[in-house]
Amino acid sequence: MVTLDLHGYGWMLWRGLGLTILVGLGAMGLAVALGLLGAWGKLSRYRAARWLAGTYTTVIRGVPELILILLVYYGVPTLVQDLAASAGRDLRVDLNPFVAGIATIGLIYGAFATEVFRGAIQAVPRGQIEAARAFGMGRALLLRRVVLPQMWRFALPGLGNVWMVLIKATALISVIQLEELMRSADIAARATRLPFTFFFAASLFYLGITIASMLIQRRIESWSYRGAPRGQG
Amino acid sequence: MTPDVGPREAALRVTNLHKAFGSLDVLRGISLAAHEHDVIAVMGASGSGKSTLLRCINLLDIPDAGEVHVGGELIHMCFDRRGQRTAADPRQVDRIRTRLGMVFQRFNLWSHMTVLQNIIEAPIRVLGVPRRRAIEQADQLLRKVGLYDKRDDFPAYLSGGQEQRAAIARALAMEPEVLLLDEPTSALDPELVGEVLKVIDDLAAEGRTMLIVTHEIGFARAVSSRTIFLHQGMVNEQGPSRQVLDEPRSERFRRFLSGGNWGRAALTTPSQTGGNE
Ligand SMILES: Nc1ncnc2c1ncn2[C@@H]1O[C@H](COP(=O)(O)OP(=O)(O)OP(=O)(O)O)[C@@H](O)[C@H]1O
Ligand SMILES: [Mg+2]
């Protein structure tokens, strides 16, 4: 059995791992919320909502993630300060890298979640929606009782993918000095001059998250399919 | 007819209904009335607009012109800002829909709910029936359609005939004034048709008011009081079922009836039923 000698930096990697998972979970929560909102916008009767959701996904898909992260981290405080200055106020804003990380990653993957949710909502059999309408269900009830419960079933595989890509993308926010897994490995690698050791260790950690996620995802999916096999409607 | 003779007012009255999809005129002035206890069979070739007629009655499709009265109550229509005809009051439509039970060709049970949950859903959520009462009533209905032992199964585990009987129970649970049935047996394997027709037969015997699209000529003759034959968007022939089915006056209807089983022909090409689902 080969053991990795981490020269006393192991704790740092573990702490980084914890932070990575925290940022990942926070960003995923935000992405799901934005995704639901975005899907609602894309499928909305209102042209303004459709336009807004369309612009959101287009912009996110069209701009590299790294740039978006830097834009949010450096751009938002500057923008706020400039705005304050033009209002004659002197304001100093620093964005917490943790919050900025969650916000940006969430914003980016919310666009992907939007597409996942849109597809999932459209996968709910039309006939079942018409049945609900024919029984006098209003829009809200229809959404809550028929569309959403079934939509999750169709969305889960796609959301699983979003999560796997998202957790790896959190490595990007090492550029804004947040000591998550990637940055911790980087710091340790520089300090010890052992880049291979630490990046290799970090990659094992990421792999570990992914494998654990896949196991959990399988659990959740089999739970969500309980009762009704697919091919219905 | 004067509007204020309550008891004599038709359970369902359709007046001069028009509906086009783009340039395709599907309904071109359909009128009919179903009085209490009437069972009206609606026939017509595939694509003649039978489903569209039912869907225009409960506004799943919006008719371009014409009126629908349910139990004497007119469904109010208006034009929206873009000039589209639409329901004037969505809440009235929801309310009217609870009084019109709908049974679909492809059942359309909610697949994430058990049979029982399917049946109690709308009574509880839409009508506000207390859960206990809704379940008691559902159990009664399940016994009536012979599905009590399937009450906790999901639709995917039922046969087509069982699904359709569950769907009928679901519609009955709303205690509708009129039942609209759109080819309730034409998606079923032949050996399952009988069990569903039997249930509908029982409903007719109970005196339920029904509008039923069907290709089952024998069934229509036995169960329906009147038959309406649609052709090219209009009522081509109508009258007491025995009379018009035994001695059709119109050439088209005669050909339709002797043309063998149109329903079967239609169900081998389900893509033709397009607009229903
Ligand atoms: N939403 C829709 N958009 C466009 N065309 C439609 C729509 N719904 C129905 N149609 C068309 O209207 C015509 C009548 O359709 P409808 O489903 O009412 O026929 P049907 O008499 O029920 O036929 P079947 O016996 O096959 O069920 C068909 O030509 C159909 O293609
Ligand atoms: Mg039809």
Side-chain angles (χ1 to χ4, degrees):
Chain A
M1 184 94 189
V2 183
T3 54
L4 275 175
D5 182 2
L6 297 176
H7 298 270
Y9 280 95
W11 63 273
M12 206 172 155
L13 289 193
W14 282 106
R15 211 190 51 184
L17 175 73
L19 207 52
T20 287
I21 291 177
L22 274 185
V23 170
L25 289 177
M28 189 65 192
L30 182 60
V32 166
L34 287 174
L36 284 171
L37 218 64
W40 173 80
K42 287 212 161 185
L43 298 173
S44 170
R45 283 176 294 171
Y46 303 108
R47 191 175 305 167
R50 288 200 302 271
W51 183 85
L52 209 63
T55 308
Y56 167 50
T57 53
T58 307
V59 167
I60 296 293
R61 277 196 288 203
V63 180
E65 304 174 357
L66 197 51
I67 297 186
L68 284 170
I69 291 170
L70 295 173
L71 272 179
V72 170
Y73 186 60
Y74 295 112
V76 170
T78 312
L79 194 71
V80 173
Q81 281 163 22
D82 286 357
L83 278 177
S86 68
R89 298 267 214 85
D90 189 21
L91 197 66
R92 172 128 190 82
V93 192
D94 267 321
L95 210 49
N96 173 339
F98 181 73
V99 172
I102 287 181
T104 328
I105 299 284
L107 196 67
I108 293 167
Y109 286 89
F112 294 90
T114 294
E115 298 302 341
V116 170
F117 282 128
R118 180 174 65 160
I121 289 171
Q122 287 177 325
V124 176
R126 263 203 83 64
Q128 294 187 31
I129 293 169
E130 298 210 319
R133 293 210 291 141
F135 283 89
M137 288 195 195
R139 286 178 164 274
L141 202 54
L142 171 79
L143 202 66
R144 190 159 57 86
R145 298 294 302 174
V146 177
V147 176
L148 289 181
Q150 299 205 61
M151 181 276 282
W152 285 110
R153 202 185 284 168
F154 300 113
L156 276 173
L159 287 183
N161 279 333
V162 169
W163 164 255
M164 310 265 184
V165 185
L166 177 150
I167 199 74
K168 289 192 291 182
T170 58
L172 290 172
I173 60 177
S174 58
V175 300
I176 55 173
Q177 322 298 319
L178 185 70
E179 284 186 29
E180 42 64 73
L181 184 50
M182 172 68 197
R183 179 145 175 89
S184 303
D186 190 40
I187 293 171
R190 284 167 200 273
T192 58
R193 295 169 190 269
L194 291 169
F196 179 80
T197 305
F198 285 97
F199 290 130
F200 181 68
S203 68
L204 288 182
F205 277 74
Y206 281 114
L207 193 61
I209 300 178
T210 304
I211 290 171
S213 305
M214 283 165 66
L215 293 176
I216 295 170
Q217 187 186 2
R218 203 169 303 164
R219 276 279 177 90
I220 297 178
E221 277 180 25
S222 68
W223 170 78
S224 82
Y225 282 116
R226 99 209 92 95
R230 288 271 291 286
Q232 261 303 290
Chain B
M1 180 175 267
T2 46
D4 53 338
V5 279
R8 290 177 54 86
E9 187 50 71
L12 173 69
R13 179 180 299 281
V14 171
T15 318
N16 200 22
L17 212 61
H18 283 76
K19 177 69 183 176
F21 292 108
S23 60
L24 180 67
D25 281 325
V26 179
L27 303 180
R28 301 190 300 153
I30 305 269
S31 298
L32 63 87
H35 294 271
E36 226 180 305
H37 312 310
D38 274 356
V39 177
I40 299 181
V42 179
M43 295 192 167
S46 182
S48 60
K50 306 177 297 296
S51 299
T52 305
L53 171 61
L54 292 201
R55 295 167 55 83
C56 281
I57 289 172
N58 64 7
L59 295 202
L60 288 179
D61 284 330
I62 304 289
D64 300 328
E67 291 183 345
V68 176
H69 286 86
V70 175
E73 181 178 349
L74 171 69
I75 305 181
H76 296 285
M77 306 297 293
C78 67
F79 291 90
D80 68 12
R81 273 170 302 155
R82 272 176 284 167
Q84 297 271 358
R85 199 164 190 255
T86 181
D89 177 8
R91 275 169 316 174
Q92 186 205 17
V93 174
D94 284 344
R95 195 158 41 71
I96 295 262
R97 281 173 175 163
T98 65
R99 297 161 57 190
L100 297 168
M102 181 90 168
V103 174
F104 298 86
Q105 188 171 359
R106 310 291 319 238
F107 334 128
N108 296 344
L109 292 170
W110 297 305
S111 56
H112 59 302
M113 298 182 189
T114 64
V115 168
L116 180 71
Q117 288 167 342
N118 263 280
I119 297 175
I120 62 176
E121 177 69 15
I124 293 177
R125 307 275 164 183
V126 180
L127 298 180
V129 175
R131 192 179 177 81
R132 279 263 296 284
R133 258 243 329 274
I135 292 177
E136 278 169 25
Q137 186 202 19
D139 284 343
Q140 263 178 22
L141 288 169
L142 283 168
R143 285 199 194 86
K144 180 152 133 182
V145 300
L147 277 183
Y148 187 73
D149 56 326
K150 299 286 179 191
R151 85 201 264 276
D152 297 317
D153 286 354
F154 286 92
Y157 292 100
L158 305 183
S159 72
Q162 292 169 333
E163 278 194 86
Q164 193 59 298
R165 283 184 283 149
I168 291 172
R170 176 175 69 170
L172 292 175
M174 299 295 280
E175 301 186 333
E177 293 157 38
V178 181
L179 265 183
L180 308 173
L181 301 100
D182 188 3
E183 299 195 44
T185 60
S186 63
L188 300 178
D189 291 337
E191 72 270 21
L192 301 176
V193 168
E195 63 189 56
V196 172
L197 291 185
K198 168 83 176 60
V199 168
I200 299 170
D201 196 3
D202 291 346
L203 297 180
E206 272 174 26
R208 297 258 176 199
T209 313
M210 295 192 271
L211 196 58
I212 171 168
V213 175
T214 183
H215 291 289
E216 306 279 346
I217 295 163
F219 171 75
R221 183 194 281 104
V223 171
S224 69
S225 42
R226 281 195 309 126
T227 294
I228 287 179
F229 178 65
L230 296 189
H231 179 62
Q232 293 183 341
M234 302 211 259
V235 176
N236 180 268
E237 178 152 0
Q238 63 173 319
S241 293
R242 274 161 218 273
Q243 190 181 314
V244 297
L245 288 169
D246 291 341
E247 288 173 39
R249 275 167 291 138
S250 102
E251 178 56 27
R252 286 254 34 127
F253 194 24
R254 195 167 334 175
R255 250 194 288 161
F256 174 83
L257 291 173
S258 61
N261 219 331
W262 257 96
R264 287 289 129 66
L267 88 105
T268 52
T269 52
S271 58
Q272 290 189 347
T273 60
N276 315 340
E277 296 180 58

